[in-house]
Amino acid sequence: MLLSQQDPRQTSTNCPDSSKTPFNSLERISLFELRLNTIHLGRVLVCRTISKPIQSAAVHVEIEDPIIGERSSAAQETDVTTARLPLYNFNVSGVLGDVLDIGTRLFIRKPYCEFDAEDGLPMLRCYSPDDVVLVPNEQVDGPLLTGLRWSNAVSITYGPPVKQQSRPRSGKIDDLQRRGNEQFIRKEYASAIDSYTQALELEPDDVALLSNRAHAHLQLQQFRKALQDAEAALKLDGANPKARFRQAKALYAMRSYEEAWNSLKMLSKATVETQELSRRTRQRLEEQKNGRYNVMSILHEARSTWPPYLDHSDYVGPMRVTEIPGKGRGMVATKEIAEGSLLMCSKAFAVVFEEKSVHDIVIKIVDKLKKEPWVATELYDLYAGPNMPPMSTNCTNATEAAEIDIARITNIVIENSFTVDKELWTPLSSQLLPHANRRGVLDVGTGLWILPSLINHSCLANASFFNIGDFMFIRAVRDLNEGEEVCVAYVGVLDTYEGRTKKLEKRNFECHCPLCDFERAQPEATCRRAKLLDEFTRMRPEIQMGNVGKMPRLKVIMDEIRKTYSTASATISTSSRRGKKGKKKVTAGGVATTTSPPAMEPHQLPIGLFRTLSAYSHLNACLGQFNQAVQALHEAFEVLPRIAGVNFVRVDIAMQIGKMYGMLNRFDEVGRWKKVARKEFQMLYGEDQGLWKEYVDDFDVC
């Protein structure tokens, strides 16, 4: 049963504004579903307290959403929503901490959510205690509790009770330790920490208590505190195997793999747990030091869970951060790098996989800073826009608490985030529906990666990135010279000049790659081309469905687009010849080196023709005119430079050319173009045989 209105722990005031709707008529709502400045009549929020209550003008407590249904452990521990809850008019008789202890479950009728005027974070408010019902621990069923579980990884505040209402202690260490152990078994980890802490106040040098508290911290993903307790225990007893193993687990979770390995080597006896952690630590060290990743295995790992938060180490190849003239910080190659080489692997600082707003990832970052305040330094070191100066060092040297600057975090996300796709690669129809995933549904998210954020943009980028889950891989798509700046594409080069410019304006800069400079220098032709491509975009759905009646107009659009490039050849040819004539010395971050060859050849400047050529090939194939179809695909492949953003499209086109040759029974050409496609594939994904086989099987080529 729910606590009745007459229960001594219930704090009723018979407020006239309280909800009068019976509980069996209320519909459950989650924190994520709450709308700002809206009273959600007929709804009830089911939540759990995750902090000690504080009495001021209101009773302040932090709460978390439950986990609904069956989800992976990684998902349930990372995507839990939390919020602050001030309870006004909450008259408590007795000890406040006993009424609202950590882990107390609450039903809050007609919840109301708004932004805090001071820090901009979301918070709930409740003015009527009649709308708050406390749920006893023994109640585990009921329609509002069905299918609910609670996270073990939220940021929980615990510690001694508030001074005004101190709770009497048992005075016996054994009793406190026993109570903590029982709470741990029930997975009440924050309460267990509270009990261990009270016992340690009586006996600070108790190794078992320190080790047990470290174990509880690990369950809450409070890794630095777990490390502190484990190391304190080891100072007292260096041979304690539990403390040593928990030290290693905390170091591993903090991505300090070398230190974790050294700790594991000091264990005298191997167990199943220590062997498994040793295996994973060796793998992370191999990834970190040598950039050796089993991409196919990582792909299977990501597919086995949702959301796909992966356990892998970062890697930084032959690159370094330096000042780039006119750009600020960037990254340059520290030696000559061959095409296809792995440049960097990086785990996301924060990521949301569904299509959500910037605010959603900002709140995720805030939760991370609460849990891991020491990461604030690397976050706040990122560029936050032209109107926000760098944060002073003393503000980011966080240990116990991080400064929460919502405006700065929002700007950092806007300036540095990457769009992430749920699929590893897009389907063959990517030329016609470039943003649809394999299931044809627009479903992307946003991620913030720290080191990749320091790589600058170019529409003709020499490095390409892809993500599997929250893990990003960056490879060179062509040979790089020592000292050459490494660039990725923040926007798609197949977009129009106007489209690319508008997207880059949100990041407060203008691109000066050869393609943008060329299109900027010919505004009339560029505008005309954009209008033609807009008309083509409107025709595209019917073309995809095989409406061959669109062929005449499509041919006219293609011819008109060609005319807009009439002066392109002379313009780019001069630049190309100048680039090839001699490797002129330049300086990048104080390193004397040579310029790289131009990213585009003269015949590749009409890149705006690509989508129409691909569509023209499709309609010819629908008519059974495979010779014309393959000719159009040849031209489409030729106008695509090998640059980031289109390298996988080059794979697709090469495979389609092979398929067209299969229709013509020219199987020698089928094999040749599959080899071309495979080489292009390796520029992006490396030489993993399993990935290539899966892609070829997925392609269904003759």
Side-chain angles (χ1 to χ4, degrees):
M1 294 290 293
L2 295 172
L3 293 181
S4 67
Q5 295 289 334
Q6 289 74 37
D7 192 288
R9 289 176 61 195
Q10 187 70 26
T11 56
S12 175
T13 59
N14 296 315
C15 178
D17 293 329
S18 60
S19 174
K20 302 300 188 291
T21 307
F23 259 98
N24 57 8
S25 301
L26 295 175
E27 181 182 353
R28 189 168 57 208
I29 190 172
S30 68
L31 286 171
F32 183 76
E33 296 173 304
L34 294 177
R35 297 191 301 275
L36 288 171
N37 303 318
T38 301
I39 298 175
H40 297 81
L41 298 174
R43 308 298 292 274
V44 58
L45 176 71
V46 182
C47 56
R48 183 180 73 162
T49 60
I50 58 172
S51 71
K52 291 282 188 181
I54 300 174
Q55 180 80 59
S56 59
V59 176
H60 292 263
V61 69
E62 291 208 12
I63 59 173
E64 65 159 331
D65 254 350
I67 303 160
I68 301 174
E70 293 297 325
R71 304 180 69 195
S72 71
S73 59
Q76 75 179 52
E77 305 302 358
T78 311
D79 273 1
V80 174
T81 305
T82 64
R84 289 171 295 172
L85 172 63
L87 300 169
Y88 292 89
N89 307 311
F90 214 73
N91 301 318
V92 179
S93 59
V95 179
L96 178 61
D98 286 338
V99 177
L100 283 175
D101 201 359
I102 295 172
T104 301
R105 292 174 295 166
L106 307 175
F107 289 169
I108 303 174
R109 292 185 279 200
K110 61 171 193 179
Y112 177 79
C113 181
E114 65 182 10
F115 284 133
D116 191 320
E118 292 185 4
D119 59 18
L121 292 173
M123 65 187 304
L124 284 86
R125 288 188 187 274
C126 183
Y127 292 96
S128 172
D130 291 333
D131 288 334
V132 180
V133 177
L134 285 67
V135 186
N137 288 333
E138 58 269 18
Q139 180 169 341
V140 295
D141 56 2
L144 292 175
L145 297 172
T146 302
L148 301 187
R149 293 176 292 132
W150 303 96
S151 170
N152 295 329
V154 295
S155 178
I156 293 180
T157 304
Y158 48 79
V162 293
K163 293 181 179 179
Q164 304 96 314
Q165 304 178 40
S166 59
R167 183 167 50 193
R169 298 173 179 168
S170 68
K172 296 182 180 179
I173 296 174
D174 289 344
D175 289 343
L176 287 167
Q177 183 172 1
R178 186 181 304 109
R179 186 175 73 183
N181 293 344
E182 291 170 354
Q183 291 165 331
F184 188 97
I185 292 171
R186 294 196 301 267
K187 298 185 177 181
E188 298 170 3
Y189 302 119
S191 297
I193 290 172
D194 202 16
S195 297
Y196 295 142
T197 300
Q198 291 184 50
L200 283 165
E201 288 176 355
L202 300 175
E203 184 53 66
D205 293 337
D206 189 300
V207 173
L209 285 170
L210 287 166
S211 180
N212 287 353
R213 193 169 68 174
H215 197 189
H217 280 305
L218 286 172
Q219 304 308 310
L220 297 179
Q221 295 191 3
Q222 296 170 340
F223 303 121
R224 181 157 292 197
K225 291 180 178 179
L227 180 62
Q228 290 170 348
D229 277 348
E231 291 183 340
L234 289 170
K235 285 182 180 179
L236 298 168
D237 179 6
N240 188 290
K242 290 184 177 180
R244 183 68 66 186
F245 180 60
R246 288 159 189 171
Q247 177 195 43
K249 288 184 70 174
L251 288 166
Y252 181 94
M254 294 169 66
R255 306 175 71 78
S256 299
Y257 302 114
E258 190 74 49
E259 293 88 340
W261 178 244
N262 291 334
S263 181
L264 286 166
K265 289 191 295 185
M266 298 178 70
L267 286 167
S268 57
K269 185 178 179 180
T271 65
V272 174
E273 277 189 307
T274 61
Q275 287 176 335
E276 172 59 19
L277 184 59
S278 295
R279 181 190 65 81
R280 290 191 289 127
T281 303
R282 287 194 299 269
Q283 287 181 341
R284 301 297 84 79
L285 286 171
E286 183 68 14
E287 293 168 349
Q288 187 179 66
K289 293 179 178 179
N290 302 311
R292 292 176 184 164
Y293 296 86
N294 186 329
V295 181
M296 193 67 192
S297 175
I298 294 173
L299 179 60
H300 287 316
E301 179 187 346
R303 287 172 173 170
S304 67
T305 181
W306 182 257
Y309 300 109
L310 307 182
D311 177 22
H312 291 279
S313 174
D314 290 0
Y315 165 76
V316 180
M319 300 190 299
R320 69 179 179 87
V321 180
T322 187
E323 288 293 322
I324 306 295
K327 293 185 178 182
R329 287 184 301 173
M331 301 197 81
V332 298
T334 57
K335 66 176 185 179
E336 291 187 356
I337 301 174
E339 61 182 20
S341 296
L342 184 65
L343 298 176
M344 180 185 294
C345 292
S346 180
K347 186 173 174 66
F349 186 87
V351 64
V352 291
F353 290 98
E354 293 80 10
E355 188 175 17
K356 296 183 179 180
S357 68
V358 169
H359 182 70
D360 294 305
I361 193 170
V362 169
I363 295 304
K364 184 176 282 287
I365 290 172
V366 169
D367 288 341
K368 184 180 181 72
L369 293 182
K370 290 179 180 178
K371 187 188 301 180
E372 304 172 5
W374 57 89
V375 302
T377 300
E378 60 180 359
L379 171 70
Y380 288 141
D381 191 45
L382 294 179
Y383 179 65
N387 300 320
M388 188 165 284
M391 181 174 278
S392 59
T393 304
N394 60 347
C395 292
T396 61
N397 188 19
T399 54
E400 294 300 321
E403 179 176 334
I404 306 296
D405 186 336
I406 295 295
R408 180 175 293 276
I409 295 172
T410 301
N411 279 9
I412 286 172
V413 170
I414 292 172
E415 296 288 345
N416 299 280
S417 61
F418 291 84
T419 297
V420 297
D421 294 291
K422 285 168 55 173
E423 299 291 345
L424 178 61
W425 46 68
T426 50
L428 300 180
S429 59
S430 60
Q431 294 78 38
L432 299 178
L433 295 171
H435 301 298
N437 66 23
R438 186 173 302 186
R439 292 179 294 278
V441 179
L442 182 65
D443 197 357
V444 297
T446 300
L448 181 67
W449 282 262
I450 298 297
L451 269 181
S453 296
L454 301 180
I455 303 178
N456 289 318
H457 162 82
S458 172
C459 296
L460 307 180
N462 52 24
S464 185
F465 68 90
F466 72 92
N467 66 286
I468 302 178
D470 65 341
F471 205 66
M472 180 182 290
F473 294 79
I474 301 177
R475 290 184 178 274
V477 297
R478 60 174 175 80
D479 293 340
L480 302 178
N481 293 319
E482 180 181 356
E484 182 179 350
E485 184 182 7
V486 177
C487 293
V488 296
Y490 295 174
V491 298
V493 71
L494 295 178
D495 201 351
T496 63
Y497 170 75
E498 182 182 14
R500 300 196 309 272
T501 300
K502 285 183 177 179
K503 292 173 183 176
L504 293 177
E505 281 176 352
K506 296 179 180 179
R507 294 179 180 256
N508 300 299
F509 74 89
E510 184 178 69
C511 181
H512 287 279
C513 71
L515 179 61
C516 286
D517 284 345
F518 168 77
E519 294 184 311
R520 192 179 296 113
Q522 302 187 47
E524 292 184 5
T526 299
C527 181
R528 171 64 176 158
R529 190 181 311 124
K531 290 180 180 179
L532 291 166
L533 288 171
D534 283 344
E535 181 182 353
F536 165 73
T537 299
R538 292 191 294 271
M539 295 168 52
R540 193 164 55 190
E542 293 188 64
I543 293 173
Q544 186 191 19
M545 295 174 63
N547 184 349
V548 295
K550 296 295 180 180
M551 179 79 85
R553 183 56 189 166
L554 177 60
K555 291 177 68 175
V556 170
I557 290 174
M558 287 172 56
D559 290 340
E560 290 298 313
I561 290 176
R562 288 183 195 279
K563 291 178 183 178
T564 67
Y565 288 108
S566 59
T567 60
S569 180
T571 303
I572 198 70
S573 291
T574 303
S575 172
S576 177
R577 286 194 300 271
R578 185 167 57 245
K580 290 183 176 180
K581 183 176 180 180
K583 295 186 176 181
K584 181 182 177 182
K585 292 285 183 179
V586 297
T587 299
V591 179
T593 182
T594 57
T595 56
S596 59
M600 298 186 75
E601 298 294 335
H603 64 276
Q604 293 173 323
L605 192 63
I607 195 170
L609 276 170
F610 169 75
R611 294 199 188 284
T612 56
L613 286 166
S614 181
Y616 183 68
S617 171
H618 175 66
L619 291 182
N620 273 292
C622 291
L623 293 170
Q625 298 172 354
F626 300 118
N627 278 314
Q628 292 91 327
V630 78
Q631 288 175 9
L633 286 177
H634 270 288
E635 185 178 357
F637 187 82
E638 289 298 314
V639 301
L640 285 179
R642 183 188 283 172
I643 55 174
V646 298
N647 46 353
F648 188 77
V649 182
R650 285 170 62 88
V651 178
D652 258 359
I653 293 298
M655 293 296 284
Q656 289 190 62
I657 291 173
K659 189 171 185 177
M660 291 298 105
Y661 276 125
M663 294 294 191
L664 295 169
N665 296 322
R666 296 182 60 181
F667 298 109
D668 57 333
E669 289 293 322
V670 173
R672 186 170 77 86
W673 279 95
K674 283 181 70 173
K675 290 180 180 178
V676 172
R678 182 171 184 172
K679 181 178 180 181
E680 298 292 333
F681 188 90
Q682 291 173 348
M683 294 301 103
L684 182 57
Y685 297 116
E687 298 182 2
D688 192 297
Q689 300 293 329
L691 278 180
W692 171 246
K693 184 179 185 303
E694 176 170 317
Y695 174 70
V696 173
D697 290 346
D698 195 41
F699 195 96
D700 189 29
V701 68
C702 294

